[in-house]
Amino acid sequence: MAVRTVPDDGCRDKKRKGEESAWQTCAGSLGSASTMSKSTEGNRFEDFAIGQTIQHAAPRTLTSGDAALYTALTGNRFAINQSAIFARNIGYAQMPLDDLLVFHMVFGMTVADISLNAVANLGYASCRFLMPVAAGDTLRAESEVIGLKEHSNGQTGTVYVRSRAFNQHDAPVLDYVRWVMVRKGGGGRDARASVPSLAEMVAPADFGDSCPPIDRKGWDFAASGSGYRFDDYRIDEKIDHVDGVTVEEAEDMTAARLYHNTARVHYNALAEKSGRFGRRIVYGGHVMSLARALSFNGLQNCFHISAINGGRHAAPLFAGHTVYAWSLIKDKARLSGRDDIGALRIVTRAMRDQPAGDFPVEAAEEGKPGVVLELDYWALIPI
Amino acid sequence: MAVRTVPDDGCRDKKRKGEESAWQTCAGSLGSASTMSKSTEGNRFEDFAIGQTIQHAAPRTLTSGDAALYTALTGNRFAINQSAIFARNIGYAQMPLDDLLVFHMVFGMTVADISLNAVANLGYASCRFLMPVAAGDTLRAESEVIGLKEHSNGQTGTVYVRSRAFNQHDAPVLDYVRWVMVRKGGGGRDARASVPSLAEMVAPADFGDSCPPIDRKGWDFAASGSGYRFDDYRIDEKIDHVDGVTVEEAEDMTAARLYHNTARVHYNALAEKSGRFGRRIVYGGHVMSLARALSFNGLQNCFHISAINGGRHAAPLFAGHTVYAWSLIKDKARLSGRDDIGALRIVTRAMRDQPAGDFPVEAAEEGKPGVVLELDYWALIPI
Amino acid sequence: MAVRTVPDDGCRDKKRKGEESAWQTCAGSLGSASTMSKSTEGNRFEDFAIGQTIQHAAPRTLTSGDAALYTALTGNRFAINQSAIFARNIGYAQMPLDDLLVFHMVFGMTVADISLNAVANLGYASCRFLMPVAAGDTLRAESEVIGLKEHSNGQTGTVYVRSRAFNQHDAPVLDYVRWVMVRKGGGGRDARASVPSLAEMVAPADFGDSCPPIDRKGWDFAASGSGYRFDDYRIDEKIDHVDGVTVEEAEDMTAARLYHNTARVHYNALAEKSGRFGRRIVYGGHVMSLARALSFNGLQNCFHISAINGGRHAAPLFAGHTVYAWSLIKDKARLSGRDDIGALRIVTRAMRDQPAGDFPVEAAEEGKPGVVLELDYWALIPI
């Protein structure tokens, strides 16, 4: 396991590492041994330091049970994640798990350390899916703090982390940056601002070998649901994904628990009664998954998300809302050394309670329909 | 894969097959290349032609995850689907998946092509379960249009299809006819009426080898939950299945997504607000599964559905309803060449919000309790 | 399979065993053959006799699908149940299933025979987890009636059973006593009182080999989420588990069905409308699981429940409630011959709609927040 570095305050980490004298050493600030809490209320802005690396708890062995639940929660129909034979016929050693299932599982590992008390998850960038993940693989995750910015209100700050996930062979499978608004704890730390510069997009040259060579002769276009390939899509083309899907509170809770995403805003209706919206909000990642699942109707052969350039939750989604989605083909790229597949840069927007026929771009305002998600990503598709 | 035949209009199929010139050829009717939609709103009555065969998308590798979800959604307790040891002891090579789980998975594959915009699923007939399906098997499906009938209102028509599913060895595992009321698209096609003649029931001689030889010595009647066998059931016997089970919206959505049943009437609360009932209706197949699961209390040793003679959804089921069921033993049959098992012809009725003690037969009327399902099937049971 | 003994009335059991002449013999009391019900309304107080042993139906092969659902329903994050590598590194041959998942699966098997019509599940005691259970294992269960006490109201009685579960090698994996309030059927049986004496706790000497030798060098304290070990916990220490989790009706129904817990109070909203509370109550075992999952925040290294000394449902939990929990370290024990692990005796209390910061002990009163569960158990933790 990677070494944890603790640049400015070792106390909490000593607690986690179980060093002999941890509670004595820290007792001054943490209370007497018998009353010192073994539990955590989650980190505050002051608990983070640039360069700090956190090993997250609860590595996960992903299973076909997780995959079945993911299908049941999202309606994902991409053939590559549904049929082991389809996957094998196009060149995969094993049927890969849905890319966003992998993303959520890793994201969930980071929540208890990074965003348990997040006010808002502000964005994602530079997300790369580096290797296929299959049932049976075990993932672990770590996050490095790469930026901090205190807000002028003195109540909150933004924390930037780069999170990385590795499989059981210590091979990197996922790598992304996210930034999140975190409450201050009232500590006296000086205002700091160290905001990382983030690329506007992931360059196709940086995709890595996120999929094996694809055997296009083995690709069954009836099974995948469409005959459209790389050359059939045009830059600036807009696709209405037509269908809508309604979200229930119980489904979001089931998803949040499956992903270990224990953030209060999703998990705790009582606390959220007095929160910003008076109720729980749906996990933003669940919205991403619903939008991706809806996008099957029009993007059937976009079999793999190789990178997420950016994700923005334009407005919250609540239980009872019906989600629609449409996509813009923003760019296209041939990949160096590969004549099997190309990449489409896609911006998918998801709306609440608004069909996609008019290709809406306005964020939903309070109590009204509109865009809730903009997801800018690269998807691979056979040439 | 089987050949797709396209008797009367190749355009949509060319799109799906990805033939080089597809969008050019079809551009006249479908819009210019850059605005032509890659997505589909589902087929209308005019899109179907007698003899047309459609290969459905998204073959599925069924897993123990799907089986666990099926139990969690239905409460199925039949020992053969719950214990690998029970299944092996009676003669199965592997624990078979619940017959209706297989049915729903195959049904779901057909929805996007056949019934996405269905007004109503009118009925099933001639359904045969031809081979056991186990976790790890991969199923694909195709449907042949075998009947069409335009309605006098000019708005809708009935489409009859025979759907077939095959496993990874191309062996047929399921075969059934269903008919569904589909909207017209406003096209000028002439009124046609070609209604297939459907058998009133599946003859026991046509069951095929849907189960292996059953070792009755290996049958553990304590494990299966009852000692009643073939000879213990009498024609005209009625069985109150006693228990009731309440359905929630989230459960039906979870089931619909697991089965890829994206039909609007189940999936989209917003669209259904202005629909026939002002709300989503529960997938009829889910009602079938709940009734079958309830029937465990009285039919514990009816380990396998070999055929469904007919199914009729007498009234819709909505979330919040409690489902009860009772069964009539309509007939009994010895099977040629088999002294291990016999078949019971069972008519199971499911009610909404009405216990089964009085063996009700009246369909539920608007806003009232009553029968919602009549399912006429053959179940196998040890002699 | 173990022999079923039927001390006082063989009729029902003959029915279940399928003996040739069962229905004839019993016809006098059960009606004519053609109308005799094959289904059961569940046992009444008069149906039980001291010494009677019941083999329960529906043995279960537990799978990774069940494990995924359990995580999705409870949010369990203990590393030993989430990562096959973590489990192997500390000495397990296979990743064990969560102890309470095993408990619920076995409990569910007993419901149809013991508590289908229970008025209340009164308590548990002397529960021992005797061996790890992994995906692929098949469990069966039996219960012995060990106590009976008629209530002075003449309407109900308490039934005490010792339930035992065995794996596919007939090795015992779980053993517990529960007592439940059951309705009388109006039969004329004399009042009896044979109340078993139950130990106040399971002695650590009786844990058996419920876990393999633990390799503490292989224990990754970053992966498990905390560095606290046996010596870090003090008797009388209180731990606020901080987080709250909200329960929905659909989740409890999903859990109940997964566990085959068909008891009316959980399953049937229509019947419960006229029940004690006017609505369904959440399965008490689900509350236990939620409390255990919440206790991860503070008890991260308590990797295994070896015994439950007692469980009491102080008040019902309903859908919509948010569950919080806190734990008292009631005792500590070194285990004879083991220098790898020790045991903490923990009393975890779960509250509805009340955070745990004040360590509440008062049972919830009607319509108010408060304690709903007291669970007194031994958990193993590395030294």
Side-chain angles (χ1 to χ4, degrees):
Chain A
M1 302 291 280
V3 175
R4 175 201 297 268
T5 61
V6 189
D8 66 348
D9 180 353
C11 190
R12 181 178 161 279
D13 280 313
K14 275 190 204 135
K15 282 169 64 181
R16 284 195 48 179
K17 283 181 131 177
E19 291 173 12
E20 285 302 313
S21 58
W23 64 262
Q24 290 98 332
T25 308
C26 305
S29 59
L30 290 165
S32 72
S34 62
T35 62
M36 183 184 72
S37 181
K38 298 281 192 311
S39 56
T40 173
E41 299 200 17
N43 287 317
R44 305 288 171 168
F45 183 72
E46 295 88 340
D47 296 317
F48 295 99
I50 302 276
Q52 182 183 16
T53 297
I54 301 169
Q55 304 295 329
H56 301 298
R60 306 277 302 259
T61 302
L62 304 188
T63 70
S64 60
D66 298 317
L69 265 164
Y70 187 77
T71 298
L73 288 167
T74 65
N76 173 41
R77 290 182 282 159
F78 290 92
I80 190 175
N81 310 124
Q82 300 290 323
S83 165
I85 291 180
F86 184 91
R88 204 174 55 212
N89 284 349
I90 67 171
Y92 278 80
Q94 284 183 277
M95 179 168 67
L97 297 174
D98 188 286
D99 303 301
L100 293 179
L101 170 57
V102 173
F103 181 85
H104 301 325
M105 287 296 203
V106 171
F107 184 96
M109 293 180 200
T110 74
V111 166
D113 293 315
I114 306 296
S115 53
L116 192 64
N117 296 306
V119 181
N121 200 41
L122 298 172
Y124 308 98
S126 298
C127 174
R128 298 182 306 155
F129 293 86
L130 299 164
M131 278 185 67
V133 176
D137 285 348
T138 299
L139 304 188
R140 65 179 175 86
E142 63 181 36
S143 295
E144 182 186 351
V145 179
I146 60 168
L148 288 168
K149 184 183 172 188
E150 201 172 354
H151 295 172
S152 56
N153 63 11
Q155 305 297 310
T156 54
T158 299
V159 179
Y160 297 78
V161 293
R162 177 177 296 281
S163 299
R164 291 184 188 86
F166 304 87
N167 68 13
Q168 66 274 21
H169 307 297
D170 276 330
V173 298
L174 179 64
D175 184 331
Y176 67 93
V177 172
R178 75 159 160 145
W179 53 106
V180 57
M181 193 194 302
V182 174
R183 282 196 187 78
K184 289 191 66 181
R189 192 186 289 272
D190 286 343
R192 292 166 302 179
S194 172
V195 177
S197 75
L198 296 168
E200 183 261 338
M201 72 164 203
V202 177
D206 294 334
F207 287 174
D209 292 321
S210 74
C211 79
I214 297 301
D215 180 353
R216 287 174 299 161
K217 289 200 206 75
W219 195 290
D220 178 340
F221 289 93
S224 68
S226 163
Y228 294 117
R229 292 189 266 186
F230 184 75
D231 287 338
D232 295 316
Y233 290 86
R234 309 281 158 125
I235 293 178
D236 289 336
E237 183 174 347
K238 293 174 179 177
I239 301 166
D240 171 3
H241 299 308
V242 178
D243 311 302
V245 62
T246 304
V247 180
E248 301 293 326
E249 208 76 89
E251 296 154 17
D252 184 46
M253 287 299 294
T254 302
R257 285 188 292 232
L258 177 64
Y259 307 145
H260 290 175
N261 185 341
T262 56
R264 253 192 217 171
V265 290
H266 314 308
Y267 230 60
N268 188 325
L270 188 68
E272 292 311 301
K273 249 192 218 167
S274 52
R276 266 200 304 168
F277 301 107
R279 57 185 302 195
R280 285 171 285 175
I281 63 174
V282 171
Y283 164 45
H286 190 46
V287 184
M288 287 163 55
S289 284
L290 292 172
R292 164 76 173 155
L294 291 171
S295 81
F296 175 82
N297 192 354
L299 298 173
Q300 291 91 333
N301 290 320
C302 291
F303 67 100
H304 172 52
I305 296 178
S306 54
I308 297 176
N309 301 306
R312 199 172 74 86
H313 299 295
L317 187 82
F318 300 111
H321 278 138
T322 298
V323 177
Y324 294 85
W326 70 273
S327 293
L328 169 74
I329 307 301
K330 190 169 179 179
D331 202 354
K332 298 177 66 171
R334 299 295 295 250
L335 303 178
S336 162
R338 298 199 67 152
D339 58 1
D340 52 344
I341 53 169
L344 301 181
R345 184 175 176 185
I346 300 168
V347 177
T348 296
R349 284 183 175 82
M351 284 72 62
R352 62 184 197 201
D353 285 355
Q354 183 174 9
D358 296 336
F359 307 115
V361 296
E362 296 295 323
E365 289 177 26
E366 197 180 331
K368 295 190 179 161
V371 171
V372 294
L373 170 75
E374 288 175 25
L375 188 68
D376 176 343
Y377 65 103
W378 286 104
L380 305 185
I381 184 169
I383 283 174
Chain B
M1 302 291 281
V3 175
R4 175 201 297 267
T5 61
V6 189
D8 66 350
D9 181 353
C11 190
R12 179 177 162 281
D13 280 312
K14 274 190 206 135
K15 282 169 63 180
R16 284 194 48 181
K17 283 181 130 176
E19 292 173 11
E20 286 300 316
S21 59
W23 64 262
Q24 289 97 330
T25 308
C26 303
S29 58
L30 289 166
S32 71
S34 62
T35 62
M36 182 184 72
S37 179
K38 297 281 192 311
S39 56
T40 172
E41 299 200 16
N43 287 317
R44 306 288 171 168
F45 183 72
E46 294 88 339
D47 295 317
F48 295 98
I50 302 276
Q52 182 184 16
T53 297
I54 300 169
Q55 305 295 329
H56 301 299
R60 307 278 301 259
T61 301
L62 304 187
T63 70
S64 59
D66 299 317
L69 265 164
Y70 187 77
T71 298
L73 289 166
T74 65
N76 173 42
R77 288 182 283 159
F78 290 92
I80 191 175
N81 310 124
Q82 301 290 323
S83 165
I85 291 180
F86 184 92
R88 204 173 56 210
N89 284 350
I90 66 171
Y92 279 80
Q94 284 183 278
M95 180 167 67
L97 296 173
D98 188 285
D99 304 301
L100 293 180
L101 170 57
V102 173
F103 181 85
H104 301 325
M105 286 295 203
V106 171
F107 184 96
M109 293 179 200
T110 74
V111 166
D113 293 316
I114 306 296
S115 54
L116 191 64
N117 296 306
V119 181
N121 200 41
L122 299 172
Y124 308 98
S126 298
C127 173
R128 297 182 308 156
F129 294 86
L130 299 165
M131 280 186 67
V133 176
D137 285 348
T138 299
L139 304 187
R140 64 178 176 86
E142 63 181 36
S143 294
E144 182 186 351
V145 180
I146 60 168
L148 289 168
K149 186 184 171 186
E150 201 172 353
H151 296 171
S152 55
N153 63 11
Q155 306 298 309
T156 53
T158 301
V159 178
Y160 296 78
V161 293
R162 178 177 294 281
S163 299
R164 290 184 189 87
F166 304 86
N167 68 13
Q168 65 274 24
H169 308 297
D170 276 329
V173 299
L174 179 64
D175 184 330
Y176 67 93
V177 172
R178 74 159 160 145
W179 53 106
V180 58
M181 193 193 302
V182 174
R183 282 196 188 80
K184 288 192 65 180
R189 193 185 287 275
D190 287 344
R192 291 166 303 179
S194 172
V195 175
S197 75
L198 297 167
E200 183 262 337
M201 71 164 203
V202 177
D206 294 334
F207 288 174
D209 291 322
S210 74
C211 79
I214 298 300
D215 180 352
R216 287 174 299 161
K217 288 199 206 76
W219 194 290
D220 178 340
F221 290 93
S224 67
S226 162
Y228 294 117
R229 291 189 267 185
F230 183 75
D231 287 338
D232 295 316
Y233 291 87
R234 308 283 157 121
I235 293 176
D236 289 336
E237 184 174 346
K238 293 174 179 177
I239 302 166
D240 172 3
H241 299 307
V242 179
D243 312 303
V245 63
T246 304
V247 180
E248 301 293 327
E249 208 76 89
E251 296 154 17
D252 184 47
M253 286 301 293
T254 302
R257 286 188 292 231
L258 178 64
Y259 307 145
H260 291 176
N261 184 341
T262 56
R264 254 193 216 171
V265 291
H266 314 309
Y267 230 61
N268 189 324
L270 188 69
E272 291 311 300
K273 248 190 219 167
S274 52
R276 267 202 303 170
F277 300 107
R279 57 186 301 195
R280 285 170 285 175
I281 63 175
V282 172
Y283 164 45
H286 190 47
V287 184
M288 288 163 53
S289 284
L290 292 172
R292 165 77 173 155
L294 291 170
S295 80
F296 175 82
N297 192 353
L299 298 172
Q300 290 91 335
N301 291 319
C302 291
F303 67 100
H304 172 52
I305 296 178
S306 53
I308 297 175
N309 301 306
R312 200 172 73 85
H313 299 297
L317 188 82
F318 301 111
H321 279 138
T322 297
V323 177
Y324 295 85
W326 70 274
S327 293
L328 169 75
I329 308 300
K330 190 169 180 180
D331 202 355
K332 298 177 66 170
R334 300 296 294 251
L335 303 179
S336 163
R338 299 198 67 151
D339 59 1
D340 53 344
I341 53 169
L344 301 180
R345 184 175 176 184
I346 300 168
V347 177
T348 296
R349 284 183 175 81
M351 283 73 62
R352 63 184 196 199
D353 284 356
Q354 184 175 9
D358 295 335
F359 306 115
V361 296
E362 296 294 323
E365 290 176 25
E366 197 180 331
K368 294 189 180 162
V371 171
V372 294
L373 170 74
E374 288 175 25
L375 188 67
D376 176 344
Y377 64 103
W378 287 105
L380 304 185
I381 184 169
I383 283 174
Chain C
M1 302 289 282
V3 175
R4 175 201 297 268
T5 62
V6 190
D8 66 348
D9 181 352
C11 189
R12 179 176 163 284
D13 280 312
K14 275 190 204 134
K15 284 168 62 180
R16 284 196 46 180
K17 282 181 131 175
E19 291 173 11
E20 286 301 314
S21 58
W23 64 261
Q24 289 97 332
T25 307
C26 304
S29 60
L30 290 166
S32 71
S34 62
T35 61
M36 182 185 71
S37 179
K38 298 282 191 309
S39 56
T40 173
E41 300 200 15
N43 287 316
R44 306 287 171 169
F45 183 71
E46 294 88 340
D47 296 318
F48 295 99
I50 303 276
Q52 182 185 15
T53 297
I54 300 170
Q55 304 294 330
H56 302 298
R60 307 278 301 260
T61 301
L62 304 187
T63 70
S64 59
D66 298 317
L69 265 163
Y70 187 77
T71 297
L73 289 166
T74 65
N76 173 42
R77 288 183 283 159
F78 290 93
I80 191 175
N81 310 124
Q82 300 290 323
S83 165
I85 291 180
F86 183 92
R88 204 174 54 211
N89 283 351
I90 67 171
Y92 278 80
Q94 284 182 277
M95 179 168 66
L97 296 174
D98 188 285
D99 304 301
L100 293 180
L101 169 58
V102 173
F103 181 85
H104 301 325
M105 287 295 204
V106 171
F107 184 96
M109 293 180 200
T110 73
V111 166
D113 294 315
I114 305 297
S115 54
L116 193 63
N117 296 306
V119 181
N121 200 41
L122 299 172
Y124 308 97
S126 298
C127 174
R128 297 182 307 154
F129 293 86
L130 300 164
M131 278 186 67
V133 176
D137 285 348
T138 299
L139 304 188
R140 64 179 176 84
E142 62 181 36
S143 294
E144 182 185 352
V145 180
I146 60 168
L148 288 168
K149 185 183 172 188
E150 200 172 353
H151 297 170
S152 54
N153 63 12
Q155 306 297 309
T156 54
T158 300
V159 179
Y160 297 77
V161 295
R162 178 177 294 280
S163 299
R164 290 184 188 87
F166 304 87
N167 68 13
Q168 65 274 24
H169 307 297
D170 277 330
V173 298
L174 179 65
D175 183 332
Y176 67 93
V177 172
R178 76 160 160 144
W179 52 107
V180 58
M181 192 193 303
V182 174
R183 282 196 188 79
K184 288 192 64 180
R189 194 185 287 272
D190 286 344
R192 291 167 302 179
S194 172
V195 176
S197 76
L198 296 168
E200 183 260 338
M201 72 164 201
V202 177
D206 294 334
F207 287 174
D209 292 322
S210 74
C211 78
I214 297 301
D215 180 353
R216 287 175 299 162
K217 288 200 206 74
W219 194 290
D220 178 341
F221 290 93
S224 66
S226 162
Y228 293 117
R229 291 189 267 186
F230 183 76
D231 286 338
D232 295 315
Y233 290 87
R234 308 283 158 124
I235 293 177
D236 289 336
E237 182 174 347
K238 293 174 179 176
I239 302 165
D240 171 3
H241 299 308
V242 179
D243 312 302
V245 62
T246 304
V247 180
E248 301 292 327
E249 209 75 89
E251 295 155 17
D252 184 46
M253 287 300 293
T254 302
R257 286 188 293 231
L258 177 65
Y259 308 145
H260 290 175
N261 185 341
T262 56
R264 252 192 217 172
V265 291
H266 314 310
Y267 230 60
N268 188 324
L270 187 70
E272 291 312 300
K273 249 190 216 167
S274 52
R276 267 201 304 169
F277 301 108
R279 56 185 301 194
R280 285 170 285 175
I281 63 175
V282 171
Y283 164 46
H286 190 46
V287 184
M288 288 163 54
S289 284
L290 292 173
R292 165 77 173 153
L294 291 171
S295 80
F296 174 83
N297 192 353
L299 298 172
Q300 290 91 334
N301 290 319
C302 291
F303 68 100
H304 171 52
I305 296 177
S306 54
I308 296 175
N309 301 306
R312 199 172 73 86
H313 299 296
L317 187 82
F318 300 111
H321 279 137
T322 298
V323 177
Y324 294 86
W326 69 274
S327 293
L328 170 74
I329 307 300
K330 190 169 180 181
D331 203 355
K332 297 177 66 169
R334 299 294 295 249
L335 303 179
S336 162
R338 299 198 67 151
D339 58 2
D340 52 343
I341 53 169
L344 301 180
R345 184 176 177 185
I346 301 167
V347 177
T348 296
R349 284 183 175 81
M351 284 71 64
R352 63 184 196 200
D353 284 355
Q354 184 175 8
D358 296 334
F359 306 116
V361 295
E362 297 295 323
E365 289 178 25
E366 197 181 331
K368 294 189 179 160
V371 171
V372 294
L373 170 76
E374 288 175 25
L375 188 68
D376 177 343
Y377 64 103
W378 286 105
L380 304 184
I381 183 169
I383 283 174

